[in-house]
Amino acid sequence: MAQHFHRSMNTVAKVSIFGAVFIIGFGAWLLLEINRSSNVTNVGLALPQPVQFSHQHHVAGLGIECRYCHTSVENSAFANVPPISTCMNCHQQIWFGAPMLEPVRVSWKSGQALEWNRVHNLGDYVYFNHGIHVQKGIGCVSCHGRVDQMQLIYKDQPHTMEWCLNCHRNPAQYIRPRDQVFNMTWKPEDIGETQASLGARLVKEYNIESPRKLTSCSTCHH
Amino acid sequence: MTDHSARSSVSPMPTTPQPEPAHWRGIERLLADPEAQAALVEAFPRQASLLGDALDRRHFLKIMGASFGLAGLTACSAYPDDGKIVPYVKAPEEIVPGKPLFYASTFSMGEQVIGVLVESHMGRPTKIEGNPDHPASLGATDALTQAALLTLYDPDRSQTTRYYGDARPYEMFLRDLRKALDRHRADQGAGLRILTETVVSPALGFQLQRVLAAFPKAKWVQYEPCGRNLARAGAKLAFGRYVASQYRFEAADVVVALDADFLAAGPGHVRYAQDFSRRRRARFGQDATKQMSRLYMVECTLTSTGTVADHRIAVRPSELIEIANAIAVGLGIATGRPAQPPAAHAKFVETVVKDLQAHAGKSLFLVGDYQPAALHFLAHAINAKLGNVGQTLFYTDTPEVAPTDQEAEFRQLVAEMHAGAVETLIILGGNPAYTAPADVDFAGGLQKVKLAAHLSLYFDETSAHCHWHIPASHFLECWGDARAHDGTVSVQQPLIAPLYRETKSPLELLAAFLEEFNQSSEEIVRNFWQRNLAQLKSGKAFTPSVSGPVRIGRNAVGLQDEFEKQWRRTLHDGYLAGSAFTPVEVQLTGALAEAMATLPKPAPSGFEVVFRPDPMIYDGRFANNGWLQETPKPRSKLTWDNAVIVSPRTGAELGVVRKHDTEPYPVVEVEVGGRRVRGAALIVPGHPDNTLTMHLGYGRERAGSVGNGAGFNANLLRTAENLWMASGAKVSQTGETTRLACTQMHWEIEAAGAFRRRQLVREATLTEYLSDPQFARTEFDDPKARKLTLFEPPDDYTQGYAWGMVVDLNVCTGCQACVVACTAENNIPIVGKAEVLREREMHWIRIDQYYAGDPNDPNLALHLQPVMCQHCEMAPCELVCPVAATTHSPEGINEMTYNRCVGTKYCANNCPYKVRRFNFLHYSDYDTPVLKLGRNPDVTVRTRGVMEKCTYCIQRINAARIEAEKEDRRILDGEVITACQAVCPTQAIIFGDINDPNSQVAQLRKEPTNYGLLAELNVRPRTTYLAKVRNVHPDLVPARQAASSHSGHGGPSGDNHPDNSTPATTTGSHASGH
């Protein structure tokens, strides 16, 4: 009986079945790496905003502390974007009439809120609470990067679940004293310690939960 | 008295010859129709109904292909779009974004007033809780109050003023009104009528009095279709004046209720439920247990209170009258009627009389709000004779501003309308064109009115017949006040500015009559309170003087400050301290016999009919409320419909028995006094024989998209003589069938075998409990006897928090408040009737109802059991999830991660309690903008293909934990209250940390009656139950024992035989066990 398949197909079959494992593995790895890339996570992408508000100028230049504007960061789940009245606290007098601040003035007078483009966002099924992180000694810079050096805000960290778990599995790696949470330039060396020893100490002192509790699903998903 | 039970030659429902399980749910399952059983029992009978309307494969692929094609495109966009952040322009001072605020307000529905705390997220009310400080409710709410939130966000709500149905500006209505009022000024308002529902708001009452003072010949008529008119009339007959009764259930040892559903309906029922349940808890070693109260219930329809009663008999309305009379005669009251109780209940009557006499001064005799006025008179006489007045019952002024005979006044108004004597009719709320009885042609009368305007939430049946329709503000959008059943006055403050600019509150509308157009409802309420604060606190009802200016000048400084303090305190607390009524002295008039002579005599043949407001839809006002339509009604477990409810025996006589519980329901036609309606016949065990129950509120045509077309309109049968009861009804088969979404058989815990079935709800009598407190325990409930298992949980649950819950079966009344509260808290979608028919309703908590005894016995035992996710430590659902979407937290919560779930449904398959709910379709409404406002932002809104279930309100646990961690302390007991726990009027659900030895839940778990559901499966549920203890009277053997002729198993509560000295245990065969 004539063979349907040429003898070379035997080799092809063997090679492709053996190679399929590697091909599929490579494909999966590729997908995962793509998902981690800044193309998907938007790390480093500064979004245009209705007003070109510069954190670098206000924080590094003028020395305004984070909490002057982001008032609810210690108490609430959101670190709120400040109301226009906060901007006008200064800009009723400073840079009064500057064309760059026109949208702010228009918003203030008309009562129509300014719509900022959101840079940091988590899925609707994730319940992140700023307050507890700030109160337990996670610095702003750990998640948001050097905001005091950003002209326009961009994402400094991918904020993927993998990235969050990285800390939740080992909070000692990132924890810092409570009074240094808002300090962008702080290092453990500043107080003569290493992160390892400091971390271990602070985790106990601040009653940080065990990694098992921190990584249980209902901590963030409910 | 014709004995209907003897008349028919049709045999009652056949019972299976095998030993029946003690607790059963489905009457059709008990039928011995082996063919039906065999054919369908294996093949997922409920799914069999899908075969008829199957989607064929080609069509299915077409649909899927289309949605598949569109699915990928949303990810592509020029810029990453994470949305916008929109901050305030000027931030309100109190709001911290992300933290909810709670404001006190008041919910009034006719004569029922409940103080509430409303949770507000960023200015949007998202959940209604009870106000624990309000004396009239003490923190409880009921299903209707919980669901009232959804009405605020109902997209079908009326948004604009209408003239003959066309949108017009409100100013045009004002112009028309002004012209009419100018005419009326000339004749002092002779043709002006204002129709409202019962007014319990002092401020609104005052406004109305002012309007009447301006137009002396005008009339204000109140009509509350399902109000307490008969109770009021009874009080008037008894005492010559209108009084309200205030009950002290915690002081009553014996309560006898004749059709009085005091635990679930009527003003004050949430408070009464709490007070009553305080005497019903069986706690080991406490004297209170030995002094458990006893409840006798005589019902002529389905009530929630009946399920809690120690002794319940279900009788025809005419028999109820005789029983009431017999009890009164037995107590020595001259009623002018000879005592002729039905023979079957003579013993019951005798025992009741004996018990009441033994507890004179510590008892209560109640008559339901829809019983004839003469019976209310009788109840007053009985309570007076027993010396209950001043002990368990006292009389006060009525919370209604102007108590009257509403039925008579309403009829007179309609007569005047037909005679053309009414020129202007303003209707504030209500829906009289729909709710009026059939012999009152309100809609027809409207044709003769020159200017008819209706203020209401929806453009309903009445608005369609009026010239003008004005959209009403919801109670969460406007100011007002209310007087609760006990006299406590509280302010209703809005939580959100009106969603639709044009809506008006009744106060604002009435201000137009007085030419005070610029007064907001806040000003009106404030000014009224400022002038009358002292009298509001006087403990008496009062009629404020209408003369003099209403506005207090701003220069009256001292007065302002003091009042300001009081006002702010009242707004903060949610009620005015010290405003409850003080008791009044009343004297019984001697006219009892006269009144009793007016009681109707039943027709010699035919069925008796009972009309009642629907337990969920009430008089029809909630017909468009999806939460309430979908919540199973207590006792009948029906959703999305009303039915002609009959008992099993009557159902067999009528030939409406279905062979299997997946068959459609026969439609019958009921004829009363020449009027006919058609409805599906629903057989509910425990319903009285030869009686039909029909619930009002259905059959509406202008309810909105949710409520239109549901059920049939029972108002068409009601007339002045047949308002709440009728007799001589004829029922005939129509040959048609329809489907009813009844949830009685849904989510059945598969308990094959008599042994397992009896273990689900365990109960005993008080005597049995006292002699053997461990009656509910089996070897599986002993924690030390835990079986060996291959896989121990990885966590050490003895450290940290361990969340657990206890449900006290002794006090659950089946009111379904927990079901609605859970729906509101957790963004649970409604699925509609078609999906409920497929057992796909999404309620995370359900109340299972079991019967015990002979189905033909109307007095059979009823058992309720709320079931939600048991959070098993060895959860069968967690093992089988292929993607680990359901895991176990180290604190014992069985977690559900919606974004991970792929919809295998294996977990639901494996759950022995059947508590998991799957989103088969995209039930959540993602599109309608106004519905998004009311969602709880702390809970994910699930899409199709995702499994969900009770989470022990993990969002509340997390919020409490975060607060506690910030303050470096432990979560205190009582800091986390689940939604179901918060709402339950009888506090049947207790949640907390079982590792905290002082927590309530840990104490309750130590009770000997504490047991786990299906504990023998070794799943180690964290939710446990406290077995039921019934305080039966030794003289009364439960009727099921006397009536049933077959072998023994009256069920575990067996007062098996009066001379049985061995205490009954849960399983007859295990009597020697432990």
Side-chain angles (χ1 to χ4, degrees):
Chain A
M1 195 171 86
Q3 294 293 328
H4 284 271
F5 293 101
H6 192 263
R7 211 177 312 133
S8 62
M9 278 297 136
N10 289 341
T11 321
V12 172
K14 282 185 206 137
V15 167
S16 63
I17 290 171
F18 181 67
V21 175
F22 296 99
I23 291 169
I24 290 170
F26 175 75
W29 175 84
L30 195 66
L31 275 173
L32 288 171
E33 278 308 308
I34 288 173
N35 271 340
R36 288 193 185 104
S37 75
S38 64
N39 196 39
V40 174
T41 61
N42 296 325
V43 166
L45 179 68
L47 288 184
Q49 300 291 351
V51 180
Q52 286 169 307
F53 176 79
S54 165
H55 274 88
Q56 180 179 39
H57 170 63
H58 287 80
V59 179
L62 297 176
I64 299 178
E65 209 241 37
C66 315
R67 284 170 287 182
Y68 182 78
C69 296
H70 299 286
T71 51
S72 64
V73 72
E74 284 173 304
N75 297 317
S76 156
F78 312 158
N80 61 311
V81 164
I84 302 294
S85 54
T86 307
C87 310
M88 295 308 285
N89 280 346
C90 291
H91 288 295
Q92 272 174 338
Q93 300 159 50
I94 305 172
W95 289 100
F96 179 80
M100 193 199 242
L101 293 171
E102 186 61 22
V104 179
R105 289 192 294 275
V106 164
S107 165
W108 175 247
K109 282 205 195 75
S110 69
Q112 221 23 42
L114 210 51
E115 292 186 8
W116 303 89
N117 290 312
R118 202 167 174 151
V119 173
H120 299 97
N121 197 15
L122 298 173
D124 284 346
Y125 44 83
V126 180
Y127 290 92
F128 173 76
N129 187 303
H130 265 102
I132 190 68
H133 285 81
V134 166
Q135 297 242 11
K136 288 287 181 175
I138 302 298
C140 308
V141 67
S142 309
C143 305
H144 295 291
R146 292 298 301 273
V147 172
D148 61 333
Q149 290 174 348
M150 296 180 191
Q151 290 277 21
L152 279 181
I153 288 286
Y154 53 86
K155 241 159 96 164
D156 186 72
Q157 303 287 327
H159 293 293
T160 52
M161 182 169 161
E162 181 187 42
W163 172 85
C164 293
L165 283 179
N166 191 26
C167 177
H168 274 236
R169 284 176 175 140
N170 186 4
Q173 224 179 330
Y174 299 97
I175 197 170
R176 61 172 63 191
R178 281 192 180 122
D179 53 1
Q180 299 301 332
V181 162
F182 300 99
N183 185 346
M184 290 264 142
T185 52
W186 181 88
K187 293 186 305 299
E189 288 66 41
D190 292 348
I191 53 171
E193 291 207 45
T194 59
Q195 182 62 44
S197 65
L198 177 68
R201 181 167 59 83
L202 287 179
V203 160
K204 268 205 221 40
E205 198 181 308
Y206 294 163
N207 278 324
I208 307 293
E209 296 279 16
S210 66
R212 166 74 180 110
K213 284 226 175 119
L214 288 175
T215 55
S216 94
C217 305
S218 59
T219 305
C220 310
H221 296 292
H222 48 79
Chain B
M1 190 72 45
T2 335
D3 183 9
H4 291 272
S5 55
R7 141 190 97 97
S8 87
S9 56
V10 176
S11 62
M13 296 273 298
T15 53
T16 154
Q18 319 114 342
E20 64 187 277
H23 293 164
W24 47 273
R25 291 171 72 157
I27 193 139
E28 291 82 9
R29 298 280 176 91
L30 284 192
L31 264 190
D33 193 285
E35 290 151 21
Q37 299 271 45
L40 293 175
V41 74
E42 296 297 339
F44 297 102
R46 237 170 307 284
Q47 310 309 319
S49 65
L50 287 179
L51 293 176
D53 46 56
L55 206 53
D56 73 57
R57 191 172 291 161
R58 192 168 282 181
H59 193 51
F60 176 78
L61 281 176
K62 263 195 238 162
I63 296 177
M64 289 311 294
S67 57
F68 212 65
L70 291 172
L73 296 177
T74 51
C76 310
S77 57
Y79 256 121
D81 187 9
D82 277 321
K84 307 260 183 224
I85 297 187
V86 184
Y88 286 108
V89 177
K90 293 192 190 79
E93 247 183 71
E94 353 30 85
I95 292 186
V96 176
K99 286 196 144 197
L101 291 173
F102 287 82
Y103 291 98
S105 184
T106 312
F107 173 64
S108 34
M109 185 180 84
E111 297 154 25
Q112 302 187 35
V113 174
I114 295 184
V116 294
L117 290 180
V118 187
E119 181 176 16
S120 168
H121 277 101
M122 306 278 288
R124 304 183 317 275
T126 54
K127 180 77 168 62
I128 294 178
E129 302 283 9
N131 183 350
D133 296 333
H134 196 291
S137 59
L138 290 185
T141 51
D142 64 354
L144 303 185
T145 314
Q146 289 290 315
L149 178 71
L150 188 63
T151 308
L152 170 67
Y153 298 115
D154 191 344
D156 289 333
R157 250 182 83 191
S158 172
Q159 302 175 16
T160 171
T161 315
R162 289 178 188 277
Y163 180 66
Y164 278 109
D166 288 335
R168 290 278 186 280
Y170 180 65
E171 287 69 29
M172 280 185 67
F173 163 70
L174 286 182
R175 210 176 341 130
D176 271 5
L177 179 65
R178 253 222 182 106
K179 274 192 236 149
L181 290 179
D182 284 338
R183 281 199 306 274
H184 284 305
R185 262 179 256 284
D187 59 10
Q188 294 198 308
L192 172 62
R193 300 284 180 272
I194 303 178
L195 176 62
T196 67
E197 299 173 290
T198 304
V199 173
V200 292
S201 154
L204 183 59
F206 179 56
Q207 283 287 83
L208 286 161
Q209 305 283 16
R210 289 183 64 216
V211 172
L212 292 178
F215 300 95
K217 293 219 181 96
K219 285 206 203 120
W220 162 35
V221 177
Q222 295 172 84
Y223 181 63
E224 181 75 44
C226 297
R228 302 182 62 246
N229 209 42
L230 289 168
R232 272 192 291 271
K236 187 94 196 281
L237 281 175
F239 303 115
R241 58 165 284 192
Y242 288 111
V243 287
S245 313
Q246 312 290 343
Y247 302 114
R248 289 283 173 270
F249 283 97
E250 66 274 18
D253 291 341
V254 172
V255 179
V256 178
L258 262 57
D259 193 39
D261 202 359
F262 65 90
L263 293 177
H269 72 270
V270 286
R271 174 72 204 252
Y272 293 149
Q274 286 190 71
D275 291 344
F276 178 74
S277 66
R278 243 179 265 156
R279 293 293 304 271
R280 301 293 294 176
R281 300 205 173 96
R283 299 286 177 264
F284 184 64
Q286 286 186 18
D287 279 331
T289 310
K290 295 200 194 81
Q291 290 158 23
M292 191 184 289
S293 66
R294 184 174 292 136
L295 172 63
Y296 296 90
M297 182 75 184
V298 181
E299 56 182 31
C300 59
T301 179
L302 304 175
T303 66
S304 289
T305 310
T307 52
V308 177
D310 300 299
H311 294 287
R312 176 190 75 90
I313 57 173
V315 297
R316 297 197 307 279
S318 55
E319 291 179 328
L320 189 145
I321 294 175
E322 292 306 327
I323 289 174
N325 184 56
I327 293 175
V329 169
L331 288 170
I333 295 175
T335 62
R337 271 168 97 105
Q340 285 174 330
H345 304 297
K347 188 93 207 306
F348 180 87
V349 170
E350 207 184 294
T351 315
V352 166
V353 170
K354 215 163 75 165
D355 221 354
L356 281 174
Q357 282 169 332
H359 293 92
K362 296 214 214 67
S363 51
L364 265 177
F365 188 88
L366 305 167
V367 161
D369 285 340
Y370 306 111
Q371 291 295 324
L375 281 195
H376 286 275
F377 190 163
L378 193 67
H380 291 303
I382 290 177
N383 282 317
K385 182 86 194 222
L386 291 170
N388 294 332
V389 181
Q391 316 264 22
T392 57
L393 152 72
F394 57 92
Y395 296 105
T396 63
D397 287 335
T398 62
E400 298 99 306
V401 169
T404 55
D405 182 353
Q406 294 183 359
E407 197 63 37
E409 291 200 350
F410 181 65
R411 278 169 194 277
Q412 201 199 349
L413 170 67
V414 176
E416 286 177 354
M417 284 161 68
H418 277 277
V422 177
E423 280 185 42
T424 309
L425 175 64
I426 309 293
I427 310 170
L428 299 180
N431 190 3
Y434 166 76
T435 54
D439 60 345
V440 176
D441 185 12
F442 188 81
L446 277 173
Q447 307 300 325
K448 304 237 180 79
V449 175
K450 286 211 188 68
L451 174 66
H454 185 209
L455 174 77
S456 80
L457 283 168
Y458 298 92
F459 188 75
D460 54 22
E461 291 85 345
T462 307
S463 294
H465 284 105
C466 289
H467 301 100
W468 284 97
H469 159 84
I470 297 127
S473 296
H474 190 263
F475 90 92
L476 290 171
E477 290 174 326
C478 63
W479 289 85
D481 60 4
R483 185 149 231 163
H485 73 284
D486 68 341
T488 307
V489 197
S490 50
V491 179
Q492 170 192 308
Q493 65 168 329
L495 264 93
I496 189 171
L499 292 176
Y500 312 112
R501 242 180 346 105
E502 294 237 335
T503 58
K504 300 272 171 282
S505 72
L507 288 173
E508 286 161 0
L509 188 58
L510 284 177
F513 277 72
L514 301 160
E515 299 282 318
E516 291 163 359
F517 299 106
N518 292 329
Q519 271 211 319
S520 67
S521 52
E522 178 182 3
E523 282 183 299
I524 298 171
V525 176
R526 247 189 84 106
N527 289 336
F528 170 76
W529 276 57
Q530 202 160 4
R531 279 179 65 82
N532 297 292
L533 195 59
Q535 288 199 284
L536 285 170
K537 290 168 86 154
S538 67
K540 302 238 170 296
F542 70 100
T543 308
S545 97
V546 298
S547 62
V550 178
R551 284 196 154 130
I552 301 282
R554 291 266 162 201
N555 50 10
V557 170
L559 206 60
Q560 279 278 80
D561 281 345
E562 193 44 50
F563 169 71
E564 194 65 35
K565 267 194 269 190
Q566 290 255 304
W567 176 250
R568 288 200 169 268
R569 167 115 327 246
T570 308
L571 286 181
H572 172 270
D573 293 348
Y575 69 103
L576 181 60
S579 55
F581 284 137
T582 47
V584 297
E585 291 291 322
V586 283
Q587 293 287 353
L588 272 176
T589 66
L592 178 59
E594 235 176 272
M596 293 292 286
T598 64
L599 284 170
K601 296 205 187 351
S605 68
F607 296 94
E608 292 189 44
V609 183
V610 171
F611 300 103
R612 289 289 181 269
D614 188 272
M616 292 293 139
I617 309 298
Y618 199 54
D619 55 4
R621 67 185 67 196
F622 293 115
N624 210 45
N625 189 315
W627 289 349
L628 290 174
Q629 285 279 12
E630 196 146 294
T631 305
K633 302 174 207 305
R635 296 287 296 271
S636 63
K637 306 300 291 288
L638 187 57
T639 65
W640 290 101
D641 259 306
N642 62 343
V644 179
I645 300 176
V646 292
S647 71
R649 198 192 295 260
T650 310
E653 281 172 28
L654 292 173
V656 295
V657 176
R658 302 176 305 150
K659 290 232 176 46
H660 195 277
D661 59 85
T662 56
E663 283 185 16
Y665 292 78
V667 173
V668 295
E669 186 175 81
V670 179
E671 189 249 305
V672 175
R675 298 167 203 271
R676 292 186 172 76
V677 287
R678 289 184 162 207
L682 176 67
I683 294 178
V684 179
H687 191 270
D689 288 330
N690 294 301
T691 314
L692 317 170
T693 291
M694 283 187 259
H695 285 132
L696 309 175
Y698 276 91
R700 290 190 59 187
E701 284 146 30
R702 283 183 183 275
S705 55
V706 171
N708 280 347
F712 64 91
N713 186 359
N715 281 311
L716 298 174
L717 292 180
R718 297 170 75 212
T719 62
E721 304 81 46
N722 298 333
L723 209 51
W724 298 109
M725 304 186 307
S727 61
K730 299 196 197 37
V731 181
S732 51
Q733 293 240 28
T734 59
E736 292 164 21
T737 58
T738 183
R739 293 209 174 265
L740 285 181
C742 176
T743 62
Q744 169 67 12
M745 296 309 297
H746 287 190
W747 313 113
E748 218 184 334
I749 295 179
E750 276 176 62
F755 167 77
R756 197 66 83 66
R757 202 75 65 84
R758 278 196 291 276
Q759 301 289 325
L760 294 176
V761 178
R762 302 179 194 177
E763 64 151 2
T765 65
L766 181 60
T767 340
E768 286 162 8
Y769 168 72
L770 290 172
S771 62
D772 176 24
Q774 305 275 343
F775 75 89
R777 295 253 180 178
T778 62
E779 72 242 38
F780 305 109
D781 295 301
D782 181 1
K784 293 196 201 65
R786 281 184 168 182
K787 302 211 141 134
L788 285 178
T789 171
L790 279 180
F791 304 101
E792 279 291 342
D795 296 295
D796 177 13
Y797 293 127
T798 58
Q799 305 300 318
Y801 304 109
W803 303 109
M805 186 183 270
V806 172
V807 180
D808 190 348
L809 294 178
N810 224 23
V811 290
C812 174
T813 60
C815 68
Q816 313 281 340
C818 52
V819 176
V820 187
C822 177
T823 306
E825 169 76 12
N826 294 297
N827 303 330
I828 296 175
I830 56 163
V831 303
K833 179 174 172 180
E835 291 293 290
V836 178
L837 281 170
R838 296 187 177 126
E839 202 175 333
R840 292 176 178 177
E841 67 271 17
M842 297 300 289
H843 298 131
W844 290 4
I845 182 172
R846 64 175 194 268
I847 302 187
D848 286 342
Q849 183 173 234
Y850 297 97
Y851 303 104
D854 180 3
N856 292 315
D857 177 12
N859 311 329
L860 83 179
L862 308 167
H863 302 302
L864 295 172
Q865 185 169 50
V867 181
M868 70 297 273
C869 174
Q870 309 279 298
H871 292 271
C872 313
E873 287 178 7
M874 314 260 299
C877 57
E878 291 167 6
L879 292 176
V880 297
C881 177
V883 293
T886 180
T887 49
H888 216 75
S889 92
E891 293 174 354
I893 304 274
N894 175 289
E895 308 162 317
M896 188 62 221
T897 311
Y898 309 114
N899 39 304
R900 207 168 160 84
C901 175
V902 289
T904 322
K905 308 189 266 315
Y906 198 159
C907 55
N909 204 26
N910 233 24
C911 175
Y913 308 99
K914 298 291 172 257
V915 288
R916 285 178 158 271
R917 303 285 175 264
F918 187 67
N919 286 277
F920 281 93
L921 302 176
H922 194 131
Y923 297 130
S924 294
D925 186 328
Y926 273 22
D927 302 317
T928 312
V930 71
L931 288 176
K932 295 186 196 176
L933 297 177
R935 296 235 170 84
N936 184 353
D938 294 326
V939 178
T940 309
V941 178
R942 286 81 56 191
T943 180
R944 80 176 80 74
V946 164
M947 189 65 75
E948 56 186 61
K949 65 167 186 74
C950 161
T951 56
Y952 271 178
C953 280
I954 183 70
Q955 67 277 6
R956 295 186 178 198
I957 297 175
N958 280 352
R961 187 187 305 116
I962 285 174
E963 289 310 308
E965 295 249 355
K966 282 195 222 161
E967 293 169 20
D968 242 340
R969 61 169 176 82
R970 240 182 119 73
I971 301 177
L972 306 166
D973 186 36
E975 217 180 317
V976 182
I977 302 183
T978 58
C980 49
Q981 176 185 8
V983 81
C984 181
T986 56
Q987 288 163 47
I989 298 178
I990 312 288
F991 175 81
D993 179 11
I994 63 177
N995 274 349
D996 175 2
N998 299 322
S999 71
Q1000 219 184 343
V1001 73
Q1003 308 280 353
L1004 288 177
R1005 280 164 68 93
K1006 290 199 270 209
E1007 289 285 331
T1009 46
N1010 182 270
Y1011 70 95
L1013 203 56
L1014 299 181
E1016 66 272 14
L1017 297 177
N1018 201 31
V1019 292
R1020 305 189 194 164
R1022 279 284 176 89
T1023 302
T1024 51
Y1025 292 85
L1026 296 182
K1028 271 171 78 158
V1029 174
R1030 283 282 164 261
N1031 186 10
V1032 297
H1033 195 282
D1035 287 355
L1036 272 182
V1037 171
R1040 62 178 180 276
Q1041 278 307 111
S1044 71
S1045 53
H1046 55 268
S1047 66
H1049 307 289
S1053 80
D1055 244 348
N1056 282 319
H1057 302 280
D1059 56 348
N1060 184 5
S1061 53
T1062 26
T1065 57
T1066 50
T1067 62
S1069 55
H1070 280 61
S1072 57
H1074 49 279

